[in-house]
């Protein structure tokens, strides 16, 4: 059942969102002087999966078969997708499918998201090297690692304790020192580190949790799938304007695993 979750649920209905501004020079400087990025990139230099990853990015993310208007074009996002070793985030028996563009089960009824969706959501956040991002739904830690390649700090919350534990260990092993994993119900966000420059929710919620809106910095974005569990949901882009006004846009139909709540 969960095998089909966290992927676009069909042809996108709305027009493509505008590209965010590129953080050109600042980004180049930051990537030269940022040890976690370098560590992760160098580690993968003799990686036999590099070519598969390149192909995935080229054929499914930079030019998705379901519509050129949904191509992910942000160079930093594409670089992150080419760098993060997705095969380290999937169960060993699914290794051969690690670079297919689809979600895969990771145990506990959960899934690692489809690579295209990870890239698309990351691009929507419009984040750069100075930013601090909150993720709800750590799962395997893959989305957190992709973000960690781009931003200064990632805070991520996972409700299933064994998943939080294994994601924390995996991210540490891969050298992502700028990710902090917490076990708990992400509905309430993580007040201690708020406000965030972006928030990403990777489980389908019935509504946008108000505490997350509160913890979003003015001028920042949140990406969240909203809709009924185990059905098609809508990927929403939410922007908190400088004056505090909330604007939201429906982007595409998706299928995510449900946002659950602690008893
Ligand atoms: N981002 C993940 C995919 C996550 S699947 C990755 O890259 O692998 C969605 C995850 O959200 C699941 O692991 C699920 O346990 C978690 N989740 C669901 N409800 C949650 C909640 N209220 N708080 C935190 N995590 C939650």
């Amino acid at each position: 059942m969960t095998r089909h979750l966290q992927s676009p649920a069909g042809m996108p209905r709305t027009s493509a969102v505008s590209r965010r501004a590129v953080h050109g020079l600042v980004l180049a400087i930051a990537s030269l002087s940022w040890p976690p990025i370098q560590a992760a990139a160098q580690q993968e230099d003799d990686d036999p999966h590099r070519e598969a990853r390149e192909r995935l990015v080229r054929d499914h993310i930079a030019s998705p078969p379901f519509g050129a208007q949904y191509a992910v074009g942000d160079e930093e996002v594409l670089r992150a997708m080419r760098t993060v070793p997705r095969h380290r985030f999937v169960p060993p028996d699914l290794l051969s499918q690690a670079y297919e563009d689809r979600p895969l089960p990771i145990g506990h009824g959960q899934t690692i998201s489809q690579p295209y969706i990870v890239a698309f959501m990351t691009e929507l956040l419009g984040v750069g090297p100075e930013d601090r991002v909150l993720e709800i739904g750590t799962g395997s830690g893959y989305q957190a690692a992709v973000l960690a390649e781009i931003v200064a700090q990632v805070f991520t919350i996972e409700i299933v304790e064994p998943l939080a534990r294994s994601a924390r260990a995996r991210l540490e092993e891969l050298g992502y020192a700028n990710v902090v994993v917490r076990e708990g119900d992400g509905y309430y966000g993580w007040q201690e580190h708020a406000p965030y420059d972006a928030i990403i929710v990777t489980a389908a919620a019935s509504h946008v949790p108000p505490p997350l809106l509160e913890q979003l910095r003015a001028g920042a974005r949140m990406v969240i799938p909203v809709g009924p569990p185990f059905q098609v949901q809508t990927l929403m882009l939410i922007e908190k304007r400088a004056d505090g006004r909330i604007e939201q846009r429906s982007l595409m139909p998706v299928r995510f695993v449900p946002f659950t709540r602690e008893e």
Side-chain angles (χ1 to χ4, degrees):
M1 175 175 61
T2 50
R3 288 172 71 89
H4 301 292
L5 299 180
Q6 283 165 261
S7 55
M11 283 300 291
R13 288 194 201 103
T14 55
S15 65
V17 291
S18 59
R19 300 276 163 238
R20 68 170 167 91
V22 180
H23 301 258
L25 186 60
V26 190
L27 211 52
I29 293 166
S31 58
L32 284 175
S33 60
W34 198 16
I37 290 183
Q38 296 300 72
Q42 270 161 25
Q43 203 173 308
E44 294 304 312
D45 265 346
D46 43 35
D47 176 7
H49 300 273
R50 179 172 288 280
E51 218 176 288
R53 212 157 43 233
E54 293 280 345
R55 204 177 319 122
L56 172 70
V57 170
R58 190 186 61 224
D59 300 344
H60 293 272
I61 295 171
S63 51
F66 52 84
Q69 74 271 36
Y70 284 90
V72 173
D74 184 284
E75 279 306 324
E76 274 302 286
V77 174
L78 297 177
R79 183 190 58 76
M81 298 302 294
R82 283 192 202 101
T83 306
V84 180
R86 190 170 188 256
H87 63 279
R88 299 286 297 271
F89 294 81
V90 306
D93 58 315
L94 296 175
L95 197 71
S96 64
Q97 297 169 57
Y99 294 105
E100 287 176 18
D101 191 28
R102 57 190 192 96
L104 294 168
I106 56 170
H108 306 275
Q110 308 303 328
T111 58
I112 177 174
S113 304
Q114 177 184 358
Y116 170 78
I117 283 289
V118 171
F120 184 67
M121 289 173 80
T122 305
E123 182 175 62
L124 286 171
L125 293 177
V127 286
E130 320 255 277
D131 291 336
R132 296 157 63 260
V133 180
L134 175 67
E135 179 194 27
I136 310 302
T138 316
S140 68
Y142 178 66
Q143 171 75 73
V146 169
L147 283 166
E149 290 282 347
I150 301 167
V151 304
Q153 183 86 53
V154 180
F155 299 94
T156 179
I157 307 177
E158 170 55 54
I159 201 166
V160 178
E161 205 270 333
L163 286 178
R165 218 175 331 118
S166 56
R168 186 182 297 123
R170 179 177 297 124
L171 290 163
E172 199 182 308
E173 215 176 284
L174 290 170
Y176 289 106
N178 57 339
V179 183
V180 192
V181 182
R182 194 181 99 180
E183 187 264 319
D185 184 350
Y187 187 89
Y188 303 101
W190 195 338
Q191 182 61 52
E192 191 188 342
H193 305 288
Y196 298 95
D197 301 306
I199 298 179
I200 179 169
V201 180
T202 65
S206 61
H207 61 277
V208 180
L212 297 185
L213 278 181
E214 268 161 43
Q215 292 173 28
L216 195 61
R217 179 179 59 74
R221 293 171 161 196
M222 171 168 17
V223 179
I224 177 172
V226 178
F230 305 113
Q231 291 176 43
V232 174
Q233 303 104 24
T234 303
L235 189 64
M236 307 284 299
L237 174 62
I238 293 167
E239 286 195 71
K240 190 184 212 173
R241 292 304 171 123
D243 62 5
R245 208 157 34 89
I246 302 294
E247 270 182 14
Q248 49 183 57
R249 265 191 289 174
S250 305
L251 297 180
M252 68 160 73
V254 288
R255 289 173 77 91
F256 273 79
V257 294
F259 192 102
T260 55
R261 302 297 312 280
E262 249 162 19
E263 298 290 300

